[in-house]
Amino acid sequence: MTVSENGDERRSFRGGGAPRSGGPRRDNDGRGSRGAAGGDRRGGAGDNNRGGAGNSNRGGAGNSNRGGGFNGGQRRGGEGGFTPRGRDGDRNRQQARPDEPDLPDNVEPTELDPAVRRDLLSLDKDNANTVARHLVMAGKLVDEDPELALLHARAARQRAGRIAVVREAAGITAYHAGEWAEALSELRAARRMAGGPGLIAVMADCERGLGRPERAIELGRSDEAALLSGDEASELRIVVAGARMDLGQFDQAVVTLQTKDLDAARTGEAAARLFYAYADALVAAGRVEDGLKWFLNAAAADLEGDTDAEERVAELTGEDQ
């Protein structure tokens, strides 16, 4: 899990492999399966597969990302200041709470992005280090073992629940684990604390996962959505198109994805996801030849093999038989 800063200077977490909101659903081998914009959601925005917030996968619209502060009340680090173990060479490791997953000794708080570590300065040092280590583990495990990653993210939240970036990390990790309601709650809390549009595409995809595509569409029409640009805006369009497909509104899904970013000369993960989602919507709307063209464009743009566009082409042309 990495952290970066977007245009509004809010820091955010992204799941491993930079899964952004939207894009084709990925299976456990990391290759996209069909369902980019909608189709069979199998659990909505994030099942045991990875991919964009915009399809039946987890991922995150959230791969671009965000920050916050903390008011510790009467005690700095009041979210959990524990007594160090007190052994020489222990480097002031805090004792784990009974409900926390174990932290390997070789996991260091310095592995966390410095911008995020700065957000933890309102905690006492020992607690801040423990929170940082849990966040590091959440990031390392989010692809291979999202359920265990979520336990680490919850431990960080329990200790530092008044820090926006911690709540956001918990939300993103819950999203990867397919815990839509928890993810939505955590991301809403992070947005209240830090402001800005936040991970609105991930939130919209959580609404899809909860069987509420209409709410996902409403988020796509919100004032906050209008603040997005570039890939983040594109990711939200993919999620909204997926919600349209959930409702059987295939022609509307196609129109939702018709943007200047549909430029076949583009390459890279974001372009491949958008082309794939557009192709998927076209096929669902009965425009198979057009869909085949855009699956070919998606395959050409997909330099890292993040989607299964080539397999979809073979399927549509009968070459897989």
Side-chain angles (χ1 to χ4, degrees):
M1 183 175 293
T2 58
V3 177
S4 62
E5 297 189 11
N6 60 19
D8 63 1
E9 297 183 352
R10 297 182 63 243
R11 290 179 285 283
S12 279
F13 277 79
R14 300 296 183 187
R20 288 177 171 74
S21 59
R25 174 175 59 225
R26 299 179 192 172
D27 292 320
N28 290 332
D29 62 359
R31 297 183 58 78
S33 66
R34 80 199 60 143
D40 175 14
R41 286 207 42 85
R42 290 189 210 166
D47 45 19
N48 289 331
N49 306 316
R50 272 158 266 303
N55 53 311
S56 8
N57 296 333
R58 84 181 64 135
N63 79 211
S64 43
N65 321 198
R66 347 7 130 128
F70 168 68
N71 178 1
Q74 295 183 356
R75 171 182 186 189
R76 285 175 68 88
E79 297 283 336
F82 289 95
T83 304
R85 295 178 184 174
R87 296 200 310 265
D88 290 339
D90 194 53
R91 287 171 292 190
N92 294 324
R93 304 283 199 223
Q94 276 193 316
Q95 290 181 338
R97 296 178 177 181
D99 56 346
E100 290 183 349
D102 292 336
L103 285 166
D105 288 339
N106 63 349
V107 174
E108 297 290 344
T110 53
E111 296 179 58
L112 191 65
D113 186 281
V116 180
R117 291 186 65 202
R118 285 196 294 271
D119 285 345
L120 305 181
L121 290 177
S122 58
L123 304 174
D124 69 59
K125 182 178 179 180
D126 293 340
N127 193 39
N129 286 341
T130 301
V131 170
R133 295 174 70 214
H134 277 300
L135 293 179
V136 169
M137 286 302 298
K140 289 183 173 182
L141 293 167
V142 71
D143 285 327
E144 292 77 16
D145 192 344
E147 287 76 22
L148 180 55
L150 181 56
L151 294 181
H152 282 285
R154 286 170 175 166
R157 181 210 179 277
Q158 185 177 17
R159 289 173 173 271
R162 296 190 181 112
I163 297 179
V165 73
V166 174
R167 301 297 289 272
E168 181 175 294
I172 288 293
T173 310
Y175 175 67
H176 279 255
E179 297 291 345
W180 321 128
E182 180 177 353
L184 195 57
S185 175
E186 295 298 334
L187 293 174
R188 283 172 174 166
R191 288 176 65 203
R192 285 195 301 270
M193 295 173 182
L199 296 174
I200 191 169
V202 179
M203 295 174 65
D205 206 40
C206 288
E207 296 286 9
R208 290 183 66 201
L210 291 167
R212 302 187 299 223
E214 297 89 350
R215 294 192 183 182
I217 293 170
E218 289 175 7
L219 281 172
R221 293 171 174 164
S222 66
D223 292 340
E224 292 159 317
L227 299 175
L228 299 178
S229 60
D231 289 346
E232 289 193 336
S234 180
E235 290 164 6
L236 181 57
R237 288 191 194 97
I238 295 173
V239 178
V240 173
R244 292 288 187 188
M245 291 180 71
D246 293 343
L247 295 170
Q249 299 172 357
F250 305 120
D251 290 331
Q252 291 95 320
V254 169
V255 172
T256 297
L257 294 167
Q258 289 175 338
T259 165
K260 61 181 178 61
D261 293 327
L262 282 173
D263 178 357
R266 296 177 62 209
T267 59
E269 184 183 358
R273 274 196 315 276
L274 177 61
F275 298 168
Y276 189 108
Y278 188 52
D280 206 37
L282 287 166
V283 171
R287 297 168 57 181
V288 178
E289 289 301 317
D290 290 336
L292 177 59
K293 169 187 171 182
W294 281 98
F295 275 127
L296 287 167
N297 290 337
D302 189 2
L303 305 179
E304 301 296 330
D306 291 312
T307 75
D308 69 344
E310 292 183 356
E311 287 87 345
R312 295 299 303 277
V313 170
E315 178 184 288
L316 291 171
T317 59
E319 294 178 3
D320 62 343
Q321 299 183 8

